[in-house]
């Protein structure tokens, strides 16, 4: 079983930055990524990173503002968020999957408990 723990959420003003972390335990060598869910909306894909960290994908609205990286020695991925806007307000969920393409959909993913990110205008 895979256990994911997120940290780093909080309240930030528009234009500011935050870094989220997610540490996995239970097994290694997983594709990992981030999803988010805003109030009244469905969960949506934010970005993902391959097991080796060489490739990433992002939702169009966060390209150029968000960056995902990973430290496999620590089984941890990071989501660096900059130039935040109020529309980025959501609960951010870390996800992991044995297959990268499956990771992009989240259908078969393991999930963390979520961390709240609130961007004030």
């Amino acid at each position: 079983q895979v256990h994911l723990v997120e940290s780093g959420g909080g309240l930030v003003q528009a234009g500011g930055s935050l870094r989220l972390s997610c540490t996995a335990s239970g097994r290694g060598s997983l594709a990992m990524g981030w999803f988010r869910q805003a109030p009244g909306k469905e969960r949506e894909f934010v970005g993902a990173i391959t097991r080796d960290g060489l490739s990433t994908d992002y939702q169009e609205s966060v390209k150029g503002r968000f960056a995902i990286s990973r430290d496999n020695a620590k089984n941890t991925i990071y989501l660096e968020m900059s130039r935040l806007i109020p529309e980025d307000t959501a609960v951010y969920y870390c996800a992991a999957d044995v297959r990268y393409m499956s990771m992009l959909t989240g259908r078969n993913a393991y999930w963390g408990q979520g961390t709240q990110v609130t961007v004030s205008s």
Side-chain angles (χ1 to χ4, degrees), residues 43-54:
R43 190 176 298 186
E44 64 176 3
F45 172 77
V46 174
I49 188 166
T50 54
R51 288 179 285 184
D52 58 10
L54 295 181

Side-chain angles (χ1 to χ4, degrees), residues 1-3 12 18 20 26 31 36 43 48 52 55 57 60-62 69 71 84 100 110:
Q1 191 61 275
V2 174
H3 187 53
V12 63
L18 274 178
L20 306 184
R36 67 186 181 186
R43 190 176 298 186
D52 58 10
S55 295
D57 284 280
E60 194 64 34
S61 70
V62 307
S69 60
D71 183 340
L84 285 159
Y100 184 71
Y110 299 98

Side-chain angles (χ1 to χ4, degrees), residues 92-109:
Y92 282 71
Y93 295 91
C94 178
D97 198 318
V98 294
R99 297 183 181 86
Y100 184 71
M101 293 308 295
S102 178
M103 173 74 255
L104 300 183
T105 70
R107 289 196 190 106
N108 299 311

Side-chain angles (χ1 to χ4, degrees), residues 80-91:
E80 300 275 2
M81 303 184 291
S82 61
R83 290 184 280 144
L84 285 159
I85 59 178
E87 289 75 15
D88 294 320
T89 295
V91 177

Side-chain angles (χ1 to χ4, degrees), residues 16-87:
S17 301
L18 274 178
R19 187 176 84 156
L20 306 184
S21 301
C22 173
T23 299
S25 60
R27 69 171 288 176
S29 193
L30 293 167
M32 296 180 72
W34 296 92
F35 287 71
R36 67 186 181 186
Q37 188 167 20
K41 295 187 177 181
E42 293 188 355
R43 190 176 298 186
E44 64 176 3
F45 172 77
V46 174
I49 188 166
T50 54
R51 288 179 285 184
D52 58 10
L54 295 181
S55 295
T56 54
D57 284 280
Y58 299 96
Q59 181 199 109
E60 194 64 34
S61 70
V62 307
K63 284 182 179 178
R65 301 190 298 120
F66 291 12
I68 297 177
S69 60
R70 68 188 297 159
D71 183 340
N72 283 340
K74 297 180 179 179
N75 289 329
T76 298
I77 66 167
Y78 306 95
L79 179 64
E80 300 275 2
M81 303 184 291
S82 61
R83 290 184 280 144
L84 285 159
I85 59 178
E87 289 75 15

